[in-house]
Amino acid sequence: MKLKGMTWDHPRGYEPVIAASKAYAEDRGIDLSWDKRSLQAFADAPITGLAETHDFIVLDHPHVGQIAETGALLPLPAPKDASASLGGSAESYLWNGQCWAYAVDAACQMAAFRPHLGVSLPTHWEDFLKSDAAQFRTITPLLPVDAFDMFMTLIAGRGGEVMPISHDEFVSEANSLYAFGILRALYKLGPADQTEMNPIKVLEILSTTDEFACSPCLFGYVNYARRGFRDHQIAYFDLPLCEGYSLPRAILGGAGIGVSAKTQHPEEAIAFAQWITSGPVQSGVYLDNNGQPANRRTWLAQAENPNLSGFFKGAFHTIDNAWTRPRDIWFLGFVDDVCEIMSDFFRKDIPAENFLAQINALYRHNLHKA
């Protein structure tokens, strides 16, 4: 029997699933192969086409509203061990009372730094508004999708996790102006081409040069905390807090594994999805091959591993309190539209009030179109 999956094009995305598949094939006699798509396609390409040609799809949880609407994937049995979920990882794939994927990879926006450069770390977002903010030597991924995710993370950190707040407004004016102020400050503290950088690009710069010491908000990658992965090891720490609030509320990332509704072998495909997300596999072959497990017990155990504690321990509090983005069917189109204009906020120095009006107009357009 042969089964085929689609994952995303980064060592963290394909190396662990390929290694796990080889182990599964040796044990079960099932041949599993994998294709990979770009990180951008992972974020926004529709699942429907992929489900026509693949048995498995590694996907981003904001797609679940679209998946439920189209029936592209099979509803899955409930996860066998709900207590193994890290933060909201497992729950993020539940929609309308059904499970559309199992969490296989866990991530959120967290803060990264170079431990051996001896730079002090920010504890509050307001630190970037002070006259000595240059001391942090920051670089921030402000590619449109990452900048908009950070915008939502900042708002959630001020108690604004419920988005949208009404049929007319996506977020409140007070929280938006706060978030735009922090974003603009970070843009001015770093290089102008931050608007073209995603987290991988920033982590590459941090781990191969000494020019910058800290990135206060990016999706974390365990690879960069491993000795020998790049010239310099990266460590992570909890997101800065908004003054007056006690929890970092980062946007949840990660990936789930779903099963195509068109697969000719649904029982076998579901069995593999359950196996690769099980505790022993997540803590074993998956972790050992550049994987970033979604199993909470794996994270807790690896916090004591001196080779990986810089990732698993450093920002555990942040990911355990991460926030789940909207997953309604209108959301992906809305994000695409915002991303078309997001760089203008920085490059054209658009007043925050005007830019908020544009975002709310795009929200209303997509909501009414859905």
Side-chain angles (χ1 to χ4, degrees):
M1 181 186 300
K2 294 185 177 181
L3 298 174
K4 184 166 70 169
M6 172 63 80
T7 186
W8 51 289
D9 191 9
H10 185 271
R12 183 182 125 201
Y14 59 82
E15 288 185 7
V17 297
I18 290 172
S21 296
K22 288 180 179 177
Y24 196 77
E26 292 172 2
D27 185 54
R28 311 289 177 94
I30 296 176
D31 182 12
L32 296 106
S33 63
W34 290 89
D35 295 327
K36 48 193 176 184
R37 63 200 190 281
S38 70
L39 181 59
Q40 189 63 46
F42 170 76
D44 57 27
I47 301 298
T48 48
L50 300 175
E52 294 284 339
T53 53
H54 295 82
D55 299 282
F56 311 105
I57 297 94
V58 176
L59 59 107
D60 199 8
H61 67 257
H63 287 271
V64 298
Q66 179 191 83
I67 289 166
E69 181 83 7
T70 62
L73 300 185
L74 292 176
L76 301 176
K80 293 182 177 181
D81 185 2
S83 65
S85 176
L86 179 64
S89 292
E91 293 79 3
S92 68
Y93 300 101
L94 304 179
W95 190 253
N96 290 342
Q98 293 181 306
C99 176
W100 298 101
Y102 297 133
V104 69
D105 173 290
C108 72
Q109 289 180 317
M110 52 183 67
F113 73 111
R114 283 278 302 282
H116 301 299
L117 292 181
V119 175
S120 61
L121 302 178
T123 58
H124 290 81
W125 291 115
E126 288 78 4
D127 292 343
F128 298 108
L129 304 177
K130 297 175 181 178
S131 60
D132 63 350
Q135 68 172 310
F136 300 119
R137 294 170 56 191
T138 61
I139 182 169
T140 308
L142 295 175
L143 193 73
V145 67
D146 294 292
F148 188 55
D149 281 348
M150 187 176 174
F151 171 76
M152 291 187 285
T153 279
L154 288 163
I155 288 171
R158 283 169 56 92
E161 301 96 331
V162 177
M163 301 178 203
I165 60 171
S166 72
H167 286 289
D168 294 317
E169 295 180 296
F170 182 62
V171 286
S172 74
E173 182 177 27
N175 283 340
S176 297
L177 297 183
Y178 172 88
F180 283 137
I182 302 298
L183 284 166
R184 182 155 279 157
L186 288 168
Y187 174 67
K188 292 178 178 178
L189 285 168
D193 60 350
Q194 289 172 117
T195 55
E196 300 167 13
M197 295 182 184
N198 65 11
I200 295 172
K201 177 64 175 176
V202 169
L203 287 165
E204 287 290 332
I205 292 171
L206 280 175
S207 61
T208 58
T209 76
D210 293 337
E211 187 175 358
F212 303 98
C214 169
S215 187
C217 186
L218 49 67
F219 283 101
Y221 285 71
V222 67
N223 317 69
Y224 294 90
R226 295 178 183 271
R227 185 177 293 113
F229 183 71
R230 291 293 183 265
D231 296 341
H232 308 286
Q233 280 179 280
I234 299 296
Y236 295 86
F237 64 105
D238 285 316
L239 278 185
L241 299 173
C242 301
E243 286 187 356
Y245 296 86
S246 59
L247 284 179
R249 296 310 308 269
I251 278 184
L252 183 69
I257 182 169
V259 175
S260 169
K262 298 294 181 69
T263 181
Q264 298 300 303
H265 306 285
E267 291 184 5
E268 291 82 0
I270 291 172
F272 175 75
Q274 291 174 325
W275 178 83
I276 198 171
T277 55
S278 66
V281 177
Q282 289 266 292
S283 295
V285 65
Y286 193 89
L287 174 67
D288 293 341
N289 287 274
N290 272 322
Q292 192 164 300
N295 189 286
R296 192 172 194 273
R297 296 190 186 94
T298 303
W299 278 63
L300 290 170
Q302 294 305 314
E304 304 308 319
N305 179 344
N307 295 319
L308 294 174
S309 61
F311 177 80
F312 288 107
K313 186 175 184 178
F316 179 80
H317 181 62
T318 292
I319 196 167
D320 215 31
N321 288 282
W323 166 77
T324 304
R325 286 164 279 181
R327 293 163 293 163
D328 305 86
I329 194 167
W330 56 265
F331 183 68
L332 290 175
F334 167 59
V335 171
D336 287 344
D337 287 349
V338 172
C339 287
E340 289 291 323
I341 63 170
M342 193 73 216
S343 291
D344 291 344
F345 171 73
F346 302 106
R347 293 174 178 168
K348 298 181 180 179
D349 205 24
I350 296 174
E353 295 86 349
N354 296 356
F355 199 71
L356 174 60
Q358 293 181 52
I359 287 178
N360 281 330
L362 292 173
Y363 157 64
R364 291 191 293 269
H365 170 75
N366 282 276
L367 181 65
H368 296 149
K369 186 174 68 174

